[in-house]
């Protein structure tokens, strides 16, 4: 029986899906897609669907702590205020910094920015969104005069051609992928092109996949610009009346991309494929070019994005429905942060810190005389300054830079040596929280109250359905109370998120430059109940409804003269080049079911079942040359001096010469797999965004004398395991382990590992000579733990064993088969879980095809439900169907 129902917004990606949360009186939390939310119309991906599994209190930070000792909020504020004020007094305001997060709500962001820039008087506040989309901000500003995303999600349904550049939409923005796939089903004439060095799950739905040489995107789009002009495909009227700079952009593009052969060669593509792309682009009026981290995370990301925007400006394909250059943002509120000045070089409400008039407006509005007058340190520079001890105190909010930053080991060392580190977070054990002098318990999704803005400028409410646990407070509350403690009571009087939102929206209209599009004045003076009931709305909104769609439909942009700017692009090669020592290009990215550093998705058994450990994808030919075996372990090293240990996966989806390693694994879930530690600190000179997509690295086999796994209701303290990766199951933990050093006697060691006490039920098999060891522990007749060790990787599949952990007791047949690790003949082994929503395994899907006669993904769904809920697994089901039917 549902006792309450709350409409809120998914906290993961920038799609910003609306969800309905139903709370039941037995404590169950059900999360469904909100059918009325215009971003997703009821759809959710696997991550959103599993949100209900992540709202428990395990591993929550519940009380303020100083050096690990629980304290009151007053003691914590007093300590922070004393330290921050002391350092500011002695060294000036630039000796302190805030590092904030795209996970924070707009209201949190606004007050953090106001405190640092307005009252502490430094602009040393930057956000982890710097790592994923600051190049977009810079590129839109260069082209349009303002950070304005000129597209809407329904453009994906109106487009006749969708170009997806550097975007694995199927996994990173799954609901938008679902919308694209649906558009294709309804409109078979819709063409989809993917531009990506990897053949991703998104490429599988495309009509043309361009596996570009890493880093060559600007050459490809410069080539398109040249080709469009030569083919007479310019929109002359639009270019003449609404833009500046076309000539210089064309001349520059000519230098790098004068003809098709030159482009094809530089990009590693066939001439035919390049021509096909250019023809389709030229001959299709409604083109949306989507770009994401594959373009943004580059040492020349800003230029790459402007090379894309140039093509839309040349053809006038902007400001009308079904077209435009469309950035898909990574984080749930990266956009909100951009709006309120979360970046070190911005002020709130799209005003600029290096603009004296803007500074005057903001200072007047905030009633402050200490507004920062120059840009602060961007994320990478900020941690460099901490390392140099120029920044002596930092407050990190809702983010985990020890995992997510490039050269992450250096960041870790810098924080370890920093004079004063404050971390506010909802969990108590992230790699960063562990380094804090003061830990502040923050509320999290389900408890928070405020707004977020998604990739299409749509502001939605995050509403609470749970009360704050322990002494946890909202980020805006913590910042407000600290500001009051520091003596800024009059400027920080807030009692609710609604009051902060109201101040922010009034600032967007205060002495506003008429060219600026960010205007939320229509949302000012809302009552608390109006704020609570606020419906998703896209800005600009000068009345109670959004006013103008599409953006820039009048051909007038946000620049002083109203004209968009072409940018002359000289393509740059990625900073790091392969060498004999580091012969591979290392690319990083996401997996389907995890998010960022796994602090939330790692709590979900469903999400943890898809990819259970860190891995490297490598082309089979490269693997052969480097003597790497599928399923064994690899050691990857880079110029940073760090090394990681990950599982080897061979795949022809990966280009020869390139490696792909996911970004998620951290010290809580793996022994040593933080890929950020391998990424050299190279940034885009304009945006400061790091080049996460192009490091150089070496790989070699990581010799192990034994391999194994443990499935246990306990968390064993591992010894001898050079490699381990942990994932959460339903009522158990799963460990994949391997090592070089071998315990003298596995039988003795396993009992210690699993805390087996004398007299407990314990079954084991040990062939010491061959290094085979298998054991199972039962507690009160229930399976408690299994451990399997072998000298090779030929261990039994884990899926059937895992299923036994859902039973209160095992049958005689199951007990007899237990240490073989394979199910009795009459029990079905479903294989690796593919559909997280309905727990459908690979073997079940293959059976649906081979025995059930399913010929496509839909038929598989009809037979076994796989892929029929969130749809995130549909690309994998399609791949399995293809494999089975040939
Ligand atoms: Fe959440 Fe998935 Fe929607 Fe992103 S696509 S907002 S992760 S449900």
């Amino acid at each position: 029986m549902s006792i309450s129902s709350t409409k809120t917004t998914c906290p993961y990606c920038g799609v910003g899906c609306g969800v309905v949360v139903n709370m039941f009186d037995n404590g169950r939390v059900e999360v469904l897609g909100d059918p009325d939310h215009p971003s997703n119309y009821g759809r959710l991906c696997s991550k959103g669907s599993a949100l209900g599994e992540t709202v428990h209190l395990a591993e929550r930070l519940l009380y303020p702590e100083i050096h690990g000792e629980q304290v009151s909020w007053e003691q914590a504020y007093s300590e922070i205020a004393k330290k921050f004020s002391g350092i500011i007094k002695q060294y000036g305001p630039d000796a302190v910094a805030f590092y904030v997060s795209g996970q924070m709500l707009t209201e949190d962001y606004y007050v953090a920015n106001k405190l640092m820039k307005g009252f502490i008087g430094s602009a040393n506040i930057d956000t982890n969104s710097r790592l994923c989309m600051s190049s977009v901000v810079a590129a839109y500003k260069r082209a349009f005069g303002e950070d304005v995303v000129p597209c809407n999600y329904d453009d994906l349904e109106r487009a006749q051609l969708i170009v997806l550049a550097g975007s694995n939409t199927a996994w990173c923005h799954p609901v938008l992928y679902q919308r694209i796939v649906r558009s294709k089903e309804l409109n078979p004439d819709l063409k989809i092109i993917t531009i990506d060095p990897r053949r991703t799950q998104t490429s599988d739905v495309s009509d043309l996949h361009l596996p570009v040489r890493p880093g060559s995107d600007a050459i490809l789009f410069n080539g398109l610009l040249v080709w469009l002009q030569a083919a007479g495909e310019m929109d002359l009227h639009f270019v003449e009346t609404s833009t500046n700079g076309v000539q210089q952009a064309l001349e520059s593009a000519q230098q790098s991309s004068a003809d098709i052969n030159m482009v094809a060669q530089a990009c590693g593509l066939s001439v035919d494929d390049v021509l096909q792309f250019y023809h389709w682009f030229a001959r299709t009026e409604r083109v949306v070019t989507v770009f994401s981290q594959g373009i943004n995370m580059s040492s020349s990301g800003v230029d790459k994005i402007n090379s894309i925007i140039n093509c839309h400006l040349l053809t006038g394909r902007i400001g009308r429905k079904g077209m435009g250059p469309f950035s898909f943002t990574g984080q749930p509120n990266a956009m909100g942060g951009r709006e309120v000045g979360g970046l070190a070089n911005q002020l709130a409400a799209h005003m600029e810190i290096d603009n004296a008039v803007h500074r005057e407006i903001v200072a007047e509005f905030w009633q402050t005389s200490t507004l920062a007058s120059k840009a602060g340190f961007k994320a990478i520079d900020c941690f460099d300054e901490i390392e140099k001890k120029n920044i002596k105190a930092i407050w990190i909010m809702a983010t985990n830079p020890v995992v997510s930053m490039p050269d992450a080991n250096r960041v870790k060392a810098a924080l370890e040596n920093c004079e004063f580190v404050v971390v506010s977070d909802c969990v108590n054990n992230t790699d960063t929280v562990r380094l804090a002098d003061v830990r502040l318990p923050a509320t999290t999704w389900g408890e928070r109250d405020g707004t977020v803005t998604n990739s299409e400028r749509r502001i939605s409410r995050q509403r609470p359905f749970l009360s704050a646990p322990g002494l946890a407070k909202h980020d805006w509350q913590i910042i407000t109370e600290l500001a009051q403690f520091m003596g800024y009571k009059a400027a920080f009087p807030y009692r609710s998120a609604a009051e902060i939102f109201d101040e922010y929206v009034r600032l967007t209209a205060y002495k506003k430059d008429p060219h600026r599009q960010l205007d939320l004045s229509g949302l000012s003076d809302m009552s608390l109940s109006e704020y609570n009931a606020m419906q998703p709305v896209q800005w600009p909104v000068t009345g109670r409804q959004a006013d103008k769609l599409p953006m820039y439909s009048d051909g007038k942009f946000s620049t002083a003269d109203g004209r968009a700017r072409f940018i002359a692009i000289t393509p740059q090669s990625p900073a790091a080049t392969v060498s004999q020592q580091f012969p591979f290009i290392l690319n990083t990215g996401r997996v389907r079911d995890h998010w960022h550093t796994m602090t939330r998705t790692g709590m979900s058994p469903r999400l943890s079942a898809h990819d259970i450990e860190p891995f490297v994808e490598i082309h089979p030919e490269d693997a052969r040359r480097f003597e790497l075996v599928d399923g064994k372990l690899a050691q990857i090293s880079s110029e940073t001096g760090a090394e990681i240990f990950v599982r080897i996966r061979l795949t022809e989806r990966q280009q020869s010469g390139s490696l792909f390693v996911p970004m998620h694994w951290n010290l809580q879930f793996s022994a040593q797999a933080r890929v950020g530690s391998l990424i050299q600190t190279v940034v885009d000179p304009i945006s400061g965004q790091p080049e996460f997509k192009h490091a150089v690295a070496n790989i070699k086999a990581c010799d192990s004398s034994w391999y194994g796994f443990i499935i246990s209701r306990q968390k064993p303290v591992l010894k001898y395991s050079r490699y381990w990766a942990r994932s959460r199951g339903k009522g158990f933990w799963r460990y994949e382990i391997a090592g070089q050093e071998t315990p003298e006697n596995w039988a003795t060691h396993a009992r210690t590992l699993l805390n087996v006490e004398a007299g407990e039920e314990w079954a084991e098999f040990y062939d010491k000579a061959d290094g085979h060891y298998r054991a199972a522990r039962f507690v009160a007749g229930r399976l408690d733990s299994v451990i399997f060790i072998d000298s090779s990787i030929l261990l039994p599949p884990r899926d059937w064993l895992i299923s036994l952990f859902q039973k209160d007791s095992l049958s005689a047949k199951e007990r007899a088969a237990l240490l073989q690790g394979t199910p009795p003949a009459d029990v079905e082994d479903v294989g690796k879980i593919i559909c997280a929503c309905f727990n459908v395994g690979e073997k079940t899907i293959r059976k649906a095809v081979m025995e059930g006669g399913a010929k496509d993904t839909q038929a598989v769904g009809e037979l076994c439900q796989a892929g029929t809920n969130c749809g995130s697994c549909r690309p994998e089901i399609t791949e399995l169907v293809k494999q089975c039917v040939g």
Side-chain angles (χ1 to χ4, degrees):
M1 173 93 169
S2 168
I3 53 169
S4 71
S5 189
T6 308
K7 285 195 172 194
T8 180
T9 311
C10 174
Y12 289 121
C13 81
V15 177
C17 296
V19 300
V20 180
V21 181
N22 296 320
M23 298 266 296
F24 295 84
D25 46 13
N26 63 0
R28 189 164 76 84
V29 177
E30 176 186 61
V31 178
L32 305 170
D34 179 355
D36 301 324
H37 197 290
S39 297
N40 57 315
Y41 296 110
R43 298 177 182 92
L44 288 182
C45 75
S46 51
K47 292 185 282 285
S49 301
L51 271 167
E53 293 181 10
T54 68
V55 292
H56 53 75
L57 295 184
E59 291 160 23
R60 282 295 297 272
L61 183 59
L62 296 172
Y63 306 99
E65 291 173 8
I66 299 176
H67 298 301
E69 296 292 323
Q70 185 180 329
V71 296
S72 67
W73 274 106
E74 285 66 30
Q75 286 169 305
Y77 289 143
S78 169
E79 176 74 2
I80 299 167
K82 186 178 83 189
K83 281 284 196 184
F84 266 66
S85 301
I87 288 169
I88 292 165
K89 196 168 171 204
Q90 192 173 356
Y91 302 101
D94 289 335
V96 299
F98 292 170
Y99 185 57
V100 298
S101 162
Q103 306 292 316
M104 292 166 69
L105 307 187
T106 299
E107 293 77 359
D108 304 324
Y109 249 128
Y110 178 84
V111 284
N113 190 47
K114 182 175 178 181
L115 175 58
M116 180 53 84
K117 290 191 184 130
F119 291 85
I120 289 178
S122 167
N124 283 349
I125 171 170
D126 212 43
T127 161
N128 62 7
S129 304
R130 173 75 61 191
L131 311 182
C132 64
M133 49 91 254
S134 53
S135 289
V136 179
V137 176
Y140 279 149
K141 276 159 72 170
R142 286 208 299 188
F144 309 144
E146 186 180 353
D147 174 23
V148 173
V149 180
C151 301
N152 310 306
Y153 294 162
D154 60 13
D155 289 324
L156 300 170
E157 276 115 24
R158 295 170 197 270
Q160 298 157 311
L161 170 65
I162 298 174
V163 181
L164 294 153
S167 169
N168 185 8
T169 317
W171 282 15
C172 302
H173 298 94
V175 163
L176 296 183
Y177 171 77
Q178 289 174 36
R179 287 180 70 159
I180 291 169
V181 170
R182 184 75 184 131
S183 299
K184 178 98 175 147
E185 285 165 1
L186 294 175
N187 172 18
D189 292 337
L190 167 67
K191 294 271 188 290
I192 298 172
I193 300 174
T194 48
I195 301 172
D196 197 316
R198 289 194 301 153
R199 188 164 54 78
T200 64
Q201 287 65 26
T202 311
S203 321
D204 293 347
V205 80
S206 66
D207 299 278
L208 175 66
H209 170 57
L210 300 177
V212 282
R213 184 166 286 142
S216 63
D217 316 78
I219 298 173
L220 186 66
F221 281 95
N222 264 1
L224 176 60
L225 194 77
V226 171
W227 197 87
L228 289 166
Q229 192 244 357
E233 300 289 349
M234 274 174 77
D235 182 337
L236 272 174
H237 175 74
F238 177 83
V239 169
E240 278 172 13
T241 57
S242 293
T243 71
N244 282 325
V246 67
Q247 215 43 49
Q248 295 91 319
L250 282 166
E251 282 165 19
S252 207
Q254 284 280 355
Q255 304 288 320
S256 65
S257 311
D259 67 60
I260 294 279
N261 293 317
M262 194 172 166
V263 171
Q265 195 182 17
C267 297
L269 301 170
S270 74
V271 170
D272 285 351
D273 281 353
V274 175
L275 264 179
Q276 181 71 85
F277 168 37
Y278 289 1
H279 272 289
W280 279 350
F281 195 105
R283 292 188 188 151
T284 312
E285 182 61 10
R286 296 201 300 274
V287 182
V288 173
T289 307
V290 171
F291 50 93
S292 192
Q293 315 307 5
I295 296 289
N296 309 346
M297 288 177 162
S298 158
S299 56
S300 57
V302 182
D303 280 353
K304 286 179 181 173
I305 298 163
N306 280 116
S307 74
I308 293 170
I309 296 173
N310 282 347
C311 297
H312 279 268
L313 292 177
L314 194 81
T315 48
R317 290 184 189 144
I318 189 166
R320 286 178 288 147
K321 293 186 175 178
M323 60 184 73
F326 197 170
S327 149
F328 284 178
T329 25
Q331 297 200 74
N333 199 29
M335 287 287 280
R338 283 150 72 165
E339 291 156 14
V340 299
L343 294 162
N345 49 332
Q346 292 181 337
L347 287 173
H350 280 190
M351 285 183 269
E352 302 297 331
I353 203 160
D354 55 6
N355 180 318
V357 175
H358 289 177
R359 288 201 304 274
E360 206 176 300
I361 292 170
V362 175
E364 186 177 292
F365 186 83
W366 282 347
Q367 295 284 291
T368 180
S369 57
T370 48
L371 190 83
S373 57
K374 64 177 193 323
F377 290 115
K378 296 177 182 134
I380 302 294
D381 302 331
C382 174
F383 286 95
D384 283 351
E385 293 300 309
I386 293 170
E387 187 182 42
K388 290 183 212 155
K389 300 197 179 294
N390 293 329
I391 290 178
K392 296 172 190 301
I394 183 160
W395 181 359
I396 297 165
M397 305 180 202
T399 184
N400 195 3
V402 171
V403 181
S404 55
M405 288 286 286
D407 208 351
N409 287 349
R410 231 179 94 209
V411 169
K412 183 167 181 271
L415 287 174
E416 282 165 346
N417 294 319
C418 182
E419 191 174 319
F420 188 59
V421 178
V422 181
V423 178
S424 41
D425 209 313
C426 58
V427 282
N428 63 13
N429 63 349
T430 73
D431 297 8
T432 303
V433 166
R434 288 173 170 220
L435 305 182
D437 295 292
V438 179
R439 297 174 189 163
L440 303 175
T443 50
T444 185
W445 184 79
E447 299 148 14
R448 286 163 153 189
D449 188 11
T451 55
V452 289
T453 310
N454 73 1
S455 296
E456 59 166 354
R457 312 180 318 281
R458 191 179 298 281
I459 300 169
S460 299
R461 288 278 281 114
Q462 267 201 18
R463 297 185 177 90
F465 53 89
L466 296 166
S467 47
L471 295 183
K473 294 184 185 230
H474 304 308
D475 284 303
W476 67 261
Q477 250 178 326
I478 302 172
I479 300 158
T480 296
E481 288 171 6
L482 180 76
Q484 293 174 354
F485 233 86
M486 291 177 80
Y488 308 123
K489 201 161 186 171
F492 291 83
Y494 315 114
R495 292 159 304 169
S496 68
E499 289 179 358
I500 299 167
F501 186 77
D502 185 63
E503 181 179 310
Y504 159 54
V505 299
R506 283 188 294 105
L507 177 57
T508 64
Y510 187 70
K511 297 192 174 179
K512 186 177 108 42
D513 175 341
H515 298 285
R516 199 170 70 226
Q517 300 295 315
L518 177 62
D519 185 338
L520 306 178
S521 53
L523 301 174
S524 63
D525 295 322
M526 282 193 288
S527 65
L528 185 59
S529 57
E530 281 177 305
Y531 176 76
N532 285 337
M534 193 171 108
Q535 296 302 304
V537 61
Q538 279 179 290
W539 59 259
V541 49
T542 52
R544 279 292 194 249
Q545 303 289 324
D547 13 324
K548 188 169 82 169
L549 296 171
M551 297 298 293
Y552 300 132
S553 55
D554 56 0
K556 300 256 180 304
F557 291 84
S558 310
T559 50
D561 62 4
R563 287 168 171 266
R565 293 182 286 242
F566 281 91
I567 304 295
I569 302 300
T570 304
Q572 306 292 322
S573 300
T577 49
V578 291
S579 61
Q580 209 173 356
Q581 193 183 2
F582 298 109
F584 284 92
I585 294 165
L586 172 64
N587 183 7
T588 65
R590 299 173 196 273
V591 299
R592 191 190 80 185
D593 286 354
H594 277 307
W595 177 255
H596 280 196
T597 61
M598 295 167 66
T599 45
R600 181 177 287 277
T601 51
M603 292 181 190
S604 160
R606 254 200 288 172
L607 298 179
S608 301
H610 187 243
D611 279 304
I612 47 98
E613 59 185 334
F615 59 87
V616 56
E617 287 185 346
I618 183 168
H619 192 278
E621 185 52 34
D622 290 335
R624 194 189 56 73
R625 283 192 299 124
F626 282 74
E627 299 179 349
L628 301 169
V629 177
D630 195 32
K632 285 199 166 185
L633 298 171
Q635 176 179 345
I636 308 176
S637 55
S638 83
E639 284 175 340
T640 64
E643 55 190 27
I644 62 169
F645 300 98
V646 289
R647 191 74 64 179
I648 299 164
R649 280 190 192 170
L650 305 195
T651 170
E652 292 186 351
R653 288 177 176 273
Q654 191 64 28
Q655 274 192 18
S656 181
S658 295
L659 308 173
F660 175 82
V661 177
M663 62 184 272
H664 311 286
W665 273 268
N666 55 52
L667 294 172
Q668 316 310 314
F669 289 93
S670 60
Q672 200 171 326
R674 286 177 306 139
V675 71
S677 66
L678 299 180
I679 305 297
Q680 298 89 18
T681 307
V682 176
V683 299
D684 182 291
I686 302 165
S687 68
Q689 179 157 353
E691 186 152 62
F692 278 107
K693 296 288 182 182
H694 199 288
V696 292
N698 199 359
I699 185 168
K700 63 178 187 182
C702 167
D703 295 327
S704 300
S705 51
W706 57 269
Y707 299 84
F709 64 86
I710 298 171
I711 307 166
S712 176
R713 298 188 194 279
Q714 318 165 35
K715 267 188 187 174
V717 179
L718 297 171
K719 219 175 144 190
Y720 300 109
S721 299
R722 180 184 190 179
Y723 172 86
W724 61 262
R726 176 167 66 200
S727 56
R728 190 187 295 262
K730 207 170 167 189
F732 61 86
W733 289 94
R734 171 178 170 178
Y735 289 77
E736 296 294 323
I737 52 179
Q740 239 173 352
E741 199 188 342
T742 308
E744 198 177 322
N745 185 324
W746 271 109
T748 316
H749 181 59
R751 283 167 190 265
T752 314
L753 263 182
L754 297 170
N755 294 317
V756 182
E757 290 175 13
E760 279 188 341
E761 193 180 352
W762 176 250
E764 70 184 337
F765 164 80
Y766 194 8
D767 178 345
K768 205 167 180 182
D770 281 350
H772 303 317
Y773 179 77
R774 295 171 178 199
R777 178 193 190 209
F778 290 85
V779 174
R782 195 166 76 137
L783 184 60
D784 178 81
S785 308
V786 293
I787 175 168
F788 280 62
I789 303 293
D790 208 299
S791 53
S792 79
I793 54 170
L794 296 175
L795 288 151
R798 296 25 161 190
D799 311 286
W800 174 67
L801 288 168
I802 282 171
S803 72
L804 301 181
F805 280 76
Q806 305 313 313
K807 301 190 171 193
D808 286 334
S809 63
L810 304 191
S811 68
K813 270 203 258 179
E814 286 166 335
R815 278 179 173 250
L818 184 61
L819 294 189
Q820 288 167 28
T822 47
D826 56 349
V827 174
E828 190 180 359
D829 177 9
V830 299
K832 181 189 175 212
I833 297 301
I834 300 294
C835 171
C837 297
F838 293 114
N839 224 19
V840 186
E842 181 183 332
K843 289 184 184 168
T844 307
I845 295 167
R846 286 186 186 276
K847 200 169 156 195
V849 181
M850 305 300 283
E851 295 174 24
K855 296 223 169 351
D856 56 29
T857 309
Q858 193 176 336
V860 168
E862 282 162 15
L863 283 173
C864 64
Q865 282 192 295
T868 57
N869 185 35
C870 76
S872 296
C873 59
R874 288 171 73 91
E876 284 157 280
I877 298 171
T878 307
E879 176 77 19
L880 285 173
V881 173
K882 263 193 221 158
Q883 284 173 16
C884 293
V885 298

